[in-house]
Amino acid sequence: VQSNELRTSASDKRALAKTHHDSGNLKDAAIAFREAAVLLDEAMEALSQSSSIIDGNTKEEEEGNIAVERATCRLHEALCLLKDGKPGDCVEACTDVLDDDVTVVSLDNESDKNDSGDDDDTSEQPRKAAVVKIISATTTTTGAAKKPAIPAQIRARAHHRRAKARLALGDLDGALEDARSAAFMGDRNAVQFYGRLMREGSASAELSPSPMGMGAWSNPFLDGMLGGMG
């Protein structure tokens, strides 16, 4: 019963998130989708202490249903973050769905702040954009509980969304990797996106600091590719 109550609360939170999204309040929408996912985590934990049959379904079936609901919430959160100019956070949300240890690492050095040695310089200068890269770490865990499988359709959407976030961060190779994965899983939009990356990405050899304020790299190719990132 507690698991069902938590799922109901998550559904209400998800509806609130959609309302925020539709009104253009992307920040609160992302927060609400994340809160819905947390409630579903709690529902999964409560389910683990329940009987083997719940509402006519086996515990494994219910775990699978909750896992799909949770992944969907995190994907909606990822979309809101991407639209809100937070590609790094979008990567993290998608990685949580894919569970493949892709991480955003800041390469900024705090000592750079003092490179000029002139604290009194009040001239307006563009703030240095953070330089980031995406790394993949292979980890092996033993004795961990087996997680319910996420359907390929949802995983494809996570790869596609993360590809756009990685492109926004200037990680063209990573964007190609994720777009290719999504395309191979049958995401038609990802097929088109991957094709454009393959055709046009090689023509973009030099990158310049992005004016988007996203800690990214940009050029006309990148800006064009990200123009329809919804």
Side-chain angles (χ1 to χ4, degrees), residues 2-3 5-11 33-49 62-63 65-74 77 96-97 147-148 150:
Q2 184 182 4
S3 177
E5 291 175 351
L6 288 166
R7 290 175 72 178
T8 298
S9 297
S11 179
F33 279 126
R34 182 71 184 96
E35 290 174 345
V38 170
L39 286 168
L40 291 168
D41 283 333
E42 296 174 4
M44 186 75 81
E45 177 63 25
L47 182 63
S48 67
Q49 303 173 17
E62 284 297 293
E63 287 175 344
N65 292 336
I66 293 175
V68 169
E69 291 175 20
R70 180 190 183 281
T72 301
C73 286
R74 296 239 61 188
E77 176 195 354
D96 182 53
V97 173
K147 296 182 180 180
I150 302 298

